[in-house]
């Protein structure tokens, strides 16, 4: 149907006449639609009636694929609703960006609802009732109505979109309709042309054919109703940002038609202070009042009429944008003009003070965490294979696989049920699940929705595009449950057309998969239960032909794929019974049938696998075929790659759950896989590495918590998991599973790496994020945990449960312990788990919660739990029909100390937390009660969440706070929260949404004491007269009389981040002021020491030099937690890095190491002098010192020249001056001082205190007197002024240009004079002219924060937290400097790029920039050669806690395991990494190497135990996994081989010992004698038959954490096992410092087989020797502390013991001599002698030290 030309639509268009409704050729009718004669209008009208409104209707145009093309701004609907019935009017409106929006009006709607594609407005009848009762049946006596709809303003106000044209209209029962008209003119239906000419009225009278007949002498308003929606829209709305809403309705007796929507982005009405003034006006004055918009000042009530609504506040905004209702009451008329009330103006200042400051929009969805929703089978590759497309509930995500960047397609209002991408990658189709299924066609490159249309199928389950994108097929069920196939023509969608249905077909067979053939878009294939069918589209019909399956006709087929072959086209089909059929597409016959079985055939390449389903075959859920291979995903969790002849498996990858989808990339190099648990990843075929792209919760996310210091997010879900996410990358870091109980609440410790979680069983557990284990469990509650919150100062934890109890815990120490339980029924029993069930004030003084009843809110003291205040919220809404109850609580910032309470009446009450006084109320916040609240740290934004919507309120606007509504969740939002940096917010429900806040943070909360952000930097008070004189003199530019004398204790505090006056230069004295503590900046560049609870030992028994029995030989690993902690001089070969508290100097050619010992704590950074004579190293502050250490080392001799200290917490950066005369040290965010030292005398020359954290410092290599720092908002240049021996610093600051945006500068380096390069946390590189003091060039260098910048000549290297290292050609930059601010970055280009294994934290390059060494957070040092384009691993180590070290019998190799899930095999001679076995999402907790009895290389195996209770056996020679077993339900703690290597003994944290056979994979015995305490040690050795009066050749022991040791004799071949001895000792006393019992460790004595050597037994720290013959302790050797680890030398009478006090002790068991050794910076949790006793390995966290035993 061609659209109506615009010329024919002016001045108006009669829609029914133009489209000839009476002929029903260009329109359609359904149900009871008939023409009747109306007595009032005396003409023919159409009656539409029916029992169901949607069943009877008039629709224009005839089909949904056509368009009316009506461009008129106003639509006039002349209709009368039928009494006691419901009616609906649907309008499909197209926007300028081709988005189709449905606008609906009905009295069926109870409330206004808004989505991105649908606006639902309720019709309101009969004034005088409550709003909840207004919508409903139409009362009798309703009159003909002229409904005037402004389509332009509806789209502009509610969706911020521009109107294009009216696409379609549907008038549904029950109503009478006379006609429809469109026009760009605003008519007044009550005025005829004659009346307007006679009275010369300034209006547009209604055309004659649109007019209602009016009897002579009577008024139009006595018979009819005119509704204009929105009101006064012709003048009010002209720009998207102008959103002042229309005026409220005037309520009159009788039945008045009104529209009652709730706002989308409008300010709130304050009803208590503003009311409408009503006057008696003549009809003319009332009708023709000017309609120009203006702010509404405050007015007063002066009328006898009692039923009058109130208007909006002074801002001109109201809570609900009501229509303009023009009605004249019969009789004595009080004419009310809701357009133009008589007002009394107020002062303009008061009006301006209520202006809304919210930008529009204030939020932007940045990223989502989640996958699936409706189904996890839809994940697609893009055409170039660089990104994947998948649904996350109602959001479509395009994820770049290398950068992990997300692009989001928004528009669906329910879960996406199917996806399809055409062959060119230009058109994306998506369907949503809620019936009737709506389909969207997207421009994949721009993200624009090209078409939105409804499917005849209720729910689309599958979509498939033809290769050209001209045909789209969909599968689903119709309303009768039959399977339907629909084909649409989509070739015109990109050209402005619509998708047209080509054919539909019904079938009775089941269809699980459907695909259009790539070689012929008229041919398709489908498969399902018992059928494989080939389809063809011909002549507008879909026809099919079944394939003769023969004996396979009963199989349940699950997926299919086409492949092009030389002899034709082959169709591959897989089944749930493990069959894979090859079908000849041309002959429609089965060519080959194969089957995947779980049982390994003899001699086959694969071991037996466990399946997730029953049946003889492995259920295959998906397959994908390329030209070279076939990828198969099955329900046993394995992805397998087969050659096309299926002769043997090429590759396989094990997943955590059943695989739901596999897809080979277009280039055939990667295989995408999705699992039913919501995990998405891909297998890289050339490298044989698997990468996880997405992890997600498998059920509703119920709570969240954010960590202030580490940038982490914790969530709990109904899938019984607790997951920790990295907010920067949105990647999962840890997860904890509880199968028996569901987690309900979550909270982070404010200062320690600890997480608290409450469960449905009433348990509250404390988790260590360092060790990924449970620290403490409390079970003081009897019901499910409903609330969990920590105090901001880190002192207390509070929990509440469904039984009404409240608990207080002390968390200030290393362990969480309970302090007190409040009386029963303190907390409301009716409360549900909520993140806002408990709230603690910002000053940690007050605790608030709902209780003891739902009508009360209680405020307590956090320290004593004394009740301070009780607030009755039921009295807040006295006019309501129900008692008001509290829902959730939230504290605001302090000051002013507000307590926010959400109530059941959809209101948020703002209370004074000290007095309980109501400060203000936010009414009608949501249509339903608010479930979550959050207030930003600056008090500017208030978040409220209810149902699936999030609202952002301008909290600072006192009288009329504006709000904006954001949708995107497909299920109710459970919690909202701001990120710690207040720049983003989080919402959780069906998925995890991360939103960017687009508003700059520049206003302070009411009552705040914060200063203006634009204030110049000032020096704090408490200055002496001399200091004040100096400051004033410096500020005024006058010369001072003398240079101030440097002082150690008093540097001046300077406002580094505040913007100075133009050209501000100030010479600063070195006096010191107090600096307020600050939080860690949101910058990965800023160093943060790893948390340690281990204390430092005070007294050590160190041997004289030369008498040590141990010599530190090697260090394995690099500290990726440090910053700039690698130095290298290519000309001299000097190479050094840090590991823990050691400086490691290594010869890159021979691998020999030197170890510079002296620092007591972790080293944060290094710096090498320019002449390579001095190395400076800095460590963090220790618990026994006031300042952190800075050591200056002599590079030639390796000795410490000087120890200096000044900074209180940690050193962020070090830099030498170009002549090596000065050393500058920069403190971290907790210290915030800049210190300058003389390298000759090692004296402090001057020190400056900084207001804001600074991220980096550097000397100008061309001018040694200039120093540069970067931080928040500015570049700071310091000029060194030296007069004699005195040195002072002159400061000059340059703010970041506005075009760069609000960001932090995180890195810097000097280029050729006078260039300074600075990197930002937004990925930009700014180039500054230090002479002119300006930034002249900016370019986007990365997508993440740039933490490393290096420049030499014409090349620049940048490293970021996106793991990318880039080389830039910047030779043109000096020329660009001459262009000034007009310079463009086109001449700067990237030469090379590398992606490493972690964020780049350190880098050093040769002067040519061709080669360098780079360190990452993964603990790896890389050698990078740009010339060769390669990166080689130099140093490698574990990133997490190392749990075990084992050795091969020949001592040629060793193996380690870690919490990161890896098992690594190293060469013992070179300590180079040879093999790595990685298991995702699990921690590897124990390890064992097969014994010497397995001598052949193919028998060398390593068995590893994991946190999920599984055992995996790896073959070292074949570098593959041989076997996976699951003998335990709890995490394993220790594992050992039997002496003959044929049996594996494993123990778990519940105290069970399992005995398994690696050959069969069977667990044939479980011993529960130690149940209740975790197994610490299992060891097995040989014995003579009959020894200790026991049968068997094996003697083994098990030690548990309850100080018990059992010794057993066994003959596993005969399944014989008997107890030889049982040792039980009293437990030691646990001090507050230690917090837990030491482990119980035992071992058979190598030099006396009848002895057991034990530690951790008894009340005293000692080594105990127990005789199995004498059954008693025969010897004790005292120890200084309780042992954490122990190892016995196999060939010498030596025992190595590690302690929590970071000490390693070597005990000579013959003489009793003890030697102590230092070198670790944390608890020594592991000691292991090599079999030859020549080497000793010790481990603290991830540091592995290798000691050479000198006495051997």
């Amino acid at each position: 149907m061609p659209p109506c030309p615009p010329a024919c639509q002016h001045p108006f268009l009669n829609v029914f006449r133009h489209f000839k409704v009476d002929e029903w050729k260009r329109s359609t009718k359904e149900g009871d639609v008939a023409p009747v004669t109306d007595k009032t209008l005396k003409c023919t009208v159409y009656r539409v009636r029916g029992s169901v409104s949607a069943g009877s209707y008039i629709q224009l145009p005839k089909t949904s694929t056509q368009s009316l093309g009506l461009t008129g701004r106003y639509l006039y609907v002349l209709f009368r609703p039928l009494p006691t019935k419901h009616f609906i009017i649907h309008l499909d409106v197209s926007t300028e960006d081709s988005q189709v929006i449905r606008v609906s009006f009905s009295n069926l709607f109870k409330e206004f609802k808004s989505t991105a594609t649908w606006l639902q407005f309720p019709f309101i009848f009969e004034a005088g009732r409550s709003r909840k009762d207004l919508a409903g049946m139409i009362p009798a006596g309703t009159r003909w109505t002229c409904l005037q709809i402004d389509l332009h303003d509806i789209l502009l106000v509610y969706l911020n979109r521009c109107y294009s044209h009216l696409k379609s209209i549907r008038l549904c029962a029950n109503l009478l309709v006379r006609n429809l008209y469109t026009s760009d003119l605003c008519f007044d239906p009550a005025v005829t042309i004659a009346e307007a000419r006679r009275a010369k009225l300034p209006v547009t009278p209604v055309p004659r054919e649109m007019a209602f007949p009016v009897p002579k002498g009577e008024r139009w308003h006595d018979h009819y109703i005119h509704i204009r929606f929105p009101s006064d829209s012709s003048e009010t709305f002209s720009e998207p940002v102008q959103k002042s809403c229309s005026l409220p309705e005037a309520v009159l007796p009788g039945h008045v038609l009104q529209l009652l929507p709730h706002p989308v982005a409008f300010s709130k009405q304050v009803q208590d202070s503003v009311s409408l003034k009503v006057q008696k006006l003549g009809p003319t004055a009332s009708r023709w009042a000017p309609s120009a918009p203006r702010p509404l000042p405050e007015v007063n009530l002066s009328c006898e009429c009692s039923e009058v609504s109130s208007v909006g506040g002074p801002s001109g905004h109201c809570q609900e944008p009501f229509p303009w209702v023009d009605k004249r009451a019969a009789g004595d008329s009080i004419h009310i003009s809701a357009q133009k009330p008589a007002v009394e103006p107020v002062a303009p200042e008061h009006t301006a003070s209520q202006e809304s400051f919210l930008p529009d929009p204030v939020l932007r969805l940045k990223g989502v965490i989640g996958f699936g929703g409706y189904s996890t089978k839809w994940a697609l590759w893009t055409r170039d294979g660089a990104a994947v497309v998948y649904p996350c509930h109602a959001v479509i995500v395009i994820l770049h696989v290398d950068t992990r960047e997300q692009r989001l397609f928004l528009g669906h209002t329910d879960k996406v049920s199917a996806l399809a991408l055409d062959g060119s990658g230009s058109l994306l189709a998506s369907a949503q699940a809620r019936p009737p299924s709506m389909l969207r066609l997207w421009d994949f490159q721009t993200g624009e929705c090209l078409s939105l249309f409804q499917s005849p199928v209720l729910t689309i389950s599958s979509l498939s595009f033809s290769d050209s994108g001209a045909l789209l097929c969909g599968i689903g069920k119709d309303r009768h449950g039959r399977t339907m196939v629909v084909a649409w023509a989509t070739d015109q969608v990109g050209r402005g057309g619509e998708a047209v249905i080509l054919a539909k077909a019904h079938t009775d067979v089941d269809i699980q998969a459907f695909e259009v053939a790539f070689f012929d878009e008229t041919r398709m294939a489908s498969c399902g239960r018992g059928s494989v069918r080939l389809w063809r589209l011909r002549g507008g019909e879909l026809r099919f032909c079944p394939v003769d399956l023969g004996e396979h006709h009963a199989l349940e087929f699950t997926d299919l794929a086409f492949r092009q072959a030389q002899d034709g086209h082959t169709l591959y089909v897989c089944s749930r019974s493990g069959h894979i059929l090859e079908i000849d597409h041309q002959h429609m016959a089965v060519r080959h049938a194969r089957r995947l079985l779980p049982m390994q055939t003899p001699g086959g390449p694969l071991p037996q696998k466990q399946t997730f389903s029953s049946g003889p075959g492995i259920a295959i859920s998906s397959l994908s075929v390329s030209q070279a291979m076939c990828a198969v995903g099955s329900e046993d969790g394995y992805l397998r790659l087969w050659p096309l002849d299926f002769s043997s498996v090429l590759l396989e990858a094990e997943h955590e759950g059943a695989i739901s989808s596999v897809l080979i990339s277009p280039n055939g190099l990667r295989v995408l896989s999705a699992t039913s648990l919501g995990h998405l990843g891909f297998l890289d075929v050339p490298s044989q590495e698997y990468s996880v792209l997405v992890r997600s919760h498998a059920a509703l996310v119920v709570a969240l918590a954010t960590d202030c210091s580490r940038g982490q997010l914790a969530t709990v879900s109904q899938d019984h998991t607790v997951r920790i996410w990295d907010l920067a990358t949105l990647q999962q870091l840890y997860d904890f599973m509880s199968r028996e109980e569901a987690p309900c609440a979550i909270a982070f410790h404010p200062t320690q790496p600890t997480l608290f979680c409450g469960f449905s069983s009433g348990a509250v557990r404390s988790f260590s994020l360092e060790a990924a284990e449970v620290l403490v469990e409390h079970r003081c509650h009897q019901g499910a945990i409903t609330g969990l919150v920590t105090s901001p100062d880190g002192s207390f934890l509070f929990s509440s449960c469904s039984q009404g109890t409240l608990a207080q815990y002390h968390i200030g120490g290393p362990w969480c312990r309970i302090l007190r339980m409040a009386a029963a029924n303190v907390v409301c029993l009716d409360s549900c788990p909520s993140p806002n069930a408990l709230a603690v004030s910002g000053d940690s003084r007050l605790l608030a919660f709902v209780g003891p009843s739902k009508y009360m809110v209680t405020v307590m003291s956090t320290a004593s739990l004394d009740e301070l205040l009780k607030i009755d919220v039921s009295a807040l809404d006295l006019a309501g029909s129900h008692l008001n109850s509290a829902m959730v609580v939230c504290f605001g910032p302090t000051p002013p100390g507000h307590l926010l309470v959400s109530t059941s009446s959809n209101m948020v009450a703002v209370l004074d937390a000290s007095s309980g006084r109501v400060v203000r109320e936010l009414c009608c916040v949501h249509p339903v009660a608010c479930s979550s609240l959050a207030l930003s740290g600056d008090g500017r934004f208030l978040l409220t969440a209810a149902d699936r919507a999030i609202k952002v309120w301008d909290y600072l606007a006192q009288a009329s706070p504006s709000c904006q509504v954001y949708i995107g969740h497909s299920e109710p939002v459970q919690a909202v929260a701001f990120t710690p940096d207040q720049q983003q917010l989080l919402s959780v429900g069906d998925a995890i949404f991360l939103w960017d806040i687009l508003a700059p943070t520049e206003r302070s909360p009411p009552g705040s004491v914060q200063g203006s952000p634009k204030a110049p930097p000032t020096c704090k008070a408490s200055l002496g007269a001399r200091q004040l004189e100096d400051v004033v003199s410096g500020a005024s530019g006058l010369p001072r009389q003398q240079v101030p004398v440097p002082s150690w204790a008093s540097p001046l505090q300077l406002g580094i981040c505040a913007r100075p006056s133009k050209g501000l230069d100030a010479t600063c004295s070195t006096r010191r002021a107090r600096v307020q503590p600050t939080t860690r900046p949101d910058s990965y560049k800023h160093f943060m020491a790893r948390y340690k609870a281990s204390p430092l030992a005070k007294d050590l028994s160190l041997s004289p030099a030369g008498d040590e029995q141990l010599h530190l030989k090697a260090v394995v690993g690099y500290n990726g937690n440090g910053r700039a902690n690698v130095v290298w001089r290519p000309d001299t070969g000097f190479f050094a890095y840090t590991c823990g508290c050691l400086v490691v100097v290594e010869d890159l050619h021979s691998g020999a190491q030197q170890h510079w010992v002296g620092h007591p704590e972790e080293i944060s950074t290094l710096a090498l002098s320019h002449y390579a004579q001095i190395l400076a190293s800095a460590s963090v502050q220790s618990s026994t010192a006031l300042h952190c250490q800075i050591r200056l080392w002599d590079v030639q001799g390796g000795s410490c020249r000087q120890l200096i200290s000044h900074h209180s917490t940690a050193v962020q950066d070090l830099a030498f001056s170009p002549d090596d005369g000065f050393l500058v040290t920069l403190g971290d965010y907790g210290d915030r001082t800049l210190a300058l030292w003389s390298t000759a005398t090692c004296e402090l020359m001057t020190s400056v205190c900084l207001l804001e954290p600074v991220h980096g410092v550097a000397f100008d290599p061309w001018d040694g007197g200039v120093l540069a720092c970067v931080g928040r908002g500015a570049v700071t240049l310091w000029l060194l002024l030296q007069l004699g021996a005195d040195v002072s610093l002159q400061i000059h600051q340059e703010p970041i240009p506005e075009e760069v945006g609000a960001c932090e500068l995180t890195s810097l380096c000097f280029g050729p004079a006078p260039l300074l390069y600075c990197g930002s946390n937004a990925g930009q590189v700014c180039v500054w002219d230090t002479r002119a003091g300006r930034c002249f060039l900016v370019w986007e260098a990365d997508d993440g924060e740039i933490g490393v910048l290096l420049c030499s000549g014409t090349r620049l290297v940048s490293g970021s937290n996106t793991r990318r290292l880039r080389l830039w050609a910047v030779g043109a930059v000096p020329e660009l400097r001459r262009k000034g601010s007009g310079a463009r970055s086109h001449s700067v280009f990237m030469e090379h790029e590398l992606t490493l294994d972690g964020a780049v934290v350190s880098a050093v390059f040769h002067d040519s920039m061709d080669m360098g060494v780079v360190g990452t957070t993964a603990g790896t040092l890389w050698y990078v050669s740009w010339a060769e384009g390669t990166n080689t691993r130099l140093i490698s180590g574990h990133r997490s806690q190392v749990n075990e070290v084992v050795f091969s019998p020949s001592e040629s190799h060793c193996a380690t395991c870690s919490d990161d899930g890896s098992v690594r095999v190293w060469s013992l001679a070179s300590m180079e990494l040879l093999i790595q076995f990685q298991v995702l999402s699990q921690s590897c907790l124990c390890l064992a190497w097969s014994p010497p009895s397995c001598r052949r290389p193919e028998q060398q195996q390593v068995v590893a135990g994991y946190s999920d209770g599984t055992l995996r056996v790896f073959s070292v020679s074949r570098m593959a996994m041989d076997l996976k077993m699951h003998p335990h339900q709890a995490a394993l703690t220790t594992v050992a081989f039997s002496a003959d290597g044929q049996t594996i003994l494993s123990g778990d944290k519940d105290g069970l010992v399992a005995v398994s056979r690696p050959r069969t994979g069977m667990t044939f015995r479980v011993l529960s004698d130690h149940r209740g305490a975790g197994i610490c040690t299992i060891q097995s050795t040989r014995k003579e038959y009959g020894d200790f009066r026991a049968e068997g050749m094996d003697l083994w022991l098990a030690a548990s954490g309850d100080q018990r040791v059992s010794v057993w004799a066994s003959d596993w071949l005969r399944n014989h096992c008997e107890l030889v001895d049982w040792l039980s000792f009293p437990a030691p006393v646990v001090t507050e410092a230690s917090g837990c019992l030491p482990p119980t460790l035992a071992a058979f004595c190598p030099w006396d087989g009848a002895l057991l050597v034990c530690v951790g037994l008894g009340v005293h720290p000692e080594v105990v020797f127990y005789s199995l013959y004498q059954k008693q302790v025969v010897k004790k050797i005292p120890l200084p502390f309780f042992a954490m680890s122990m190892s016995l030398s196999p060939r010498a009478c030596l025992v190595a013991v590690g302690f929590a006090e970071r000490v390693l002790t070597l005990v000579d068991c013959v003489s009793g001599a003890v030697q102590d050794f230092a070198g670790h910076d944390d608890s020594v949790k592991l000691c292991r002698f090599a079999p030859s006793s020549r080497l000793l390995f010790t481990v603290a966290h991830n540091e592995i030290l290798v000691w050479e035993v000198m006495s051997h």
Side-chain angles (χ1 to χ4, degrees), residues 1200-1227:
C1200 180
R1201 294 178 46 182
Q1202 189 69 36
L1203 171 64
I1204 57 178
S1205 61
H1206 175 73
H1207 302 281
S1208 59
T1209 53
V1211 176
Q1212 172 68 20
D1213 205 356
L1214 301 168
F1216 284 94
S1217 63
D1219 60 356
D1220 289 344
F1222 294 102
L1223 171 68
V1224 64
T1225 59
L1226 175 65

Side-chain angles (χ1 to χ4, degrees), residues 1280-1301:
L1280 273 67
L1281 301 180
Q1282 190 167 5
L1283 183 60
D1286 296 333
V1287 176
S1288 62
L1289 293 173
Q1290 187 178 27
I1291 179 177
H1292 182 82
Q1293 277 190 313
E1294 287 297 335
I1296 299 177
E1298 294 182 358
E1299 56 268 19
V1300 177

Side-chain angles (χ1 to χ4, degrees), residues 1051-1219:
L1052 177 69
Q1053 181 175 351
L1054 294 176
I1056 297 305
C1057 72
R1059 181 171 179 173
S1061 302
K1062 203 166 185 178
L1064 172 66
D1065 289 309
T1067 303
C1068 304
S1069 75
T1070 57
R1071 309 266 179 120
R1072 180 160 204 162
R1074 296 284 299 176
V1075 180
Q1076 296 298 322
T1078 185
T1079 57
R1080 180 180 185 269
D1082 185 21
S1083 168
Y1084 94 96
K1085 170 67 180 295
H1086 219 89
F1087 171 77
M1088 183 174 181
R1090 184 174 56 83
Y1091 173 77
K1092 308 177 190 69
S1094 56
L1096 279 172
K1098 296 181 180 179
D1099 299 325
L1100 298 180
S1101 301
L1102 300 178
S1103 298
D1107 294 340
E1108 301 95 339
Q1109 290 185 294
L1110 295 180
H1111 168 70
L1112 184 57
K1113 179 181 180 181
V1115 173
V1116 181
Y1118 156 73
N1119 183 16
N1121 189 50
R1123 298 296 183 264
N1125 57 339
V1126 176
V1127 295
W1128 178 46
R1129 288 295 297 268
D1131 52 347
T1132 64
F1134 180 78
F1135 174 60
Y1137 57 92
T1138 71
C1139 183
C1141 60
L1142 300 176
V1143 178
V1144 183
V1145 181
E1146 184 168 336
D1147 188 325
L1148 289 176
H1149 299 287
S1150 65
Q1153 293 181 354
Q1154 299 177 36
H1155 310 99
W1156 296 352
V1157 182
H1159 284 285
E1161 292 286 351
E1162 178 183 4
I1163 298 174
S1164 59
T1165 186
L1166 295 177
L1168 183 65
S1169 64
H1170 295 277
Y1171 296 104
Q1173 299 299 314
I1174 303 174
L1175 176 69
S1177 60
S1179 60
V1180 301
Q1181 178 189 8
S1182 67
S1183 58
T1184 59
L1186 296 177
H1187 300 91
C1188 52
Q1189 287 189 5
I1190 302 172
R1191 288 181 176 264
L1192 303 181
W1193 305 86
D1194 183 5
V1195 172
Q1196 298 298 327
S1199 60
C1200 180
R1201 294 178 46 182
Q1202 189 69 36
L1203 171 64
I1204 57 178
S1205 61
H1206 175 73
H1207 302 281
S1208 59
T1209 53
V1211 176
Q1212 172 68 20
D1213 205 356
L1214 301 168
F1216 284 94
S1217 63
D1219 60 356

Side-chain angles (χ1 to χ4, degrees), residues 258-372:
Q258 301 172 354
L259 296 177
L260 184 60
H262 288 275
V264 174
F266 285 78
S267 0
K268 185 189 171 299
Q269 176 181 2
V270 181
Q271 301 182 5
D272 296 336
S273 59
V274 183
S275 56
L276 178 67
K277 181 175 180 178
V278 184
Q279 289 183 323
K280 287 190 177 182
L281 303 174
T284 303
S286 176
R287 267 179 239 164
W288 321 132
S291 59
R294 70 172 69 180
L296 294 180
E298 187 172 345
V299 296
N300 298 321
L301 177 66
S302 61
C303 179
E304 297 177 0
C305 182
S306 61
E307 296 183 2
V308 179
S309 292
S310 58
V311 302
S315 64
H317 297 284
C318 64
Q319 166 67 16
E320 297 173 355
F322 296 103
W324 183 89
V325 184
D326 189 1
K327 179 184 175 182
R328 305 297 184 264
D332 185 84
S333 60
I334 297 180
H335 303 296
I336 301 175
S337 172
Q339 279 182 284
K340 183 66 179 178
V343 297
E344 298 176 3
V346 296
E349 292 82 358
H350 180 70
T351 302
S353 67
Q354 305 303 323
E355 180 185 356
S356 172
F357 287 86
L358 280 182
D360 187 11
V362 71
L363 296 184
R364 178 182 60 204
L365 186 59
K366 179 183 181 181
V368 297
I369 301 176
F371 168 56

Side-chain angles (χ1 to χ4, degrees), residues 578-691:
H579 289 82
I580 299 177
L581 306 184
E582 291 183 36
I583 298 174
D584 188 323
H585 181 268
Q586 184 175 359
H587 299 90
M588 294 183 293
V590 177
R591 183 183 300 168
H592 297 288
R594 300 177 177 88
R595 193 176 191 186
L596 181 61
L597 298 175
M599 186 66 66
Q600 169 63 23
T601 57
L606 291 176
Q608 178 181 350
K609 304 293 181 184
Q610 297 180 352
T611 64
F612 288 98
S613 61
S614 59
I618 296 179
I620 302 176
S621 54
S622 180
L623 88 164
S624 179
V625 182
S626 69
Q627 294 301 318
M629 63 182 177
C630 175
V632 174
S634 52
E635 293 187 5
D636 64 351
Y638 278 87
L639 164 66
R640 298 177 175 91
L641 302 187
W642 301 82
L644 294 180
D645 59 359
F646 292 88
S647 58
S648 62
V649 174
L650 301 176
L651 286 175
E652 71 173 11
E654 183 183 8
H655 296 66
E656 295 180 29
I659 293 181
S660 55
S661 173
V662 296
L663 186 64
I664 301 176
S665 63
N667 60 10
L669 300 180
R670 291 174 171 177
V671 182
L672 187 68
S673 61
T675 72
S676 59
L677 298 181
H679 297 173
L680 182 66
F682 69 91
L683 176 65
D684 187 79
V685 178
S687 65
Q688 302 183 10
E689 293 183 355
Y690 189 87
S691 300

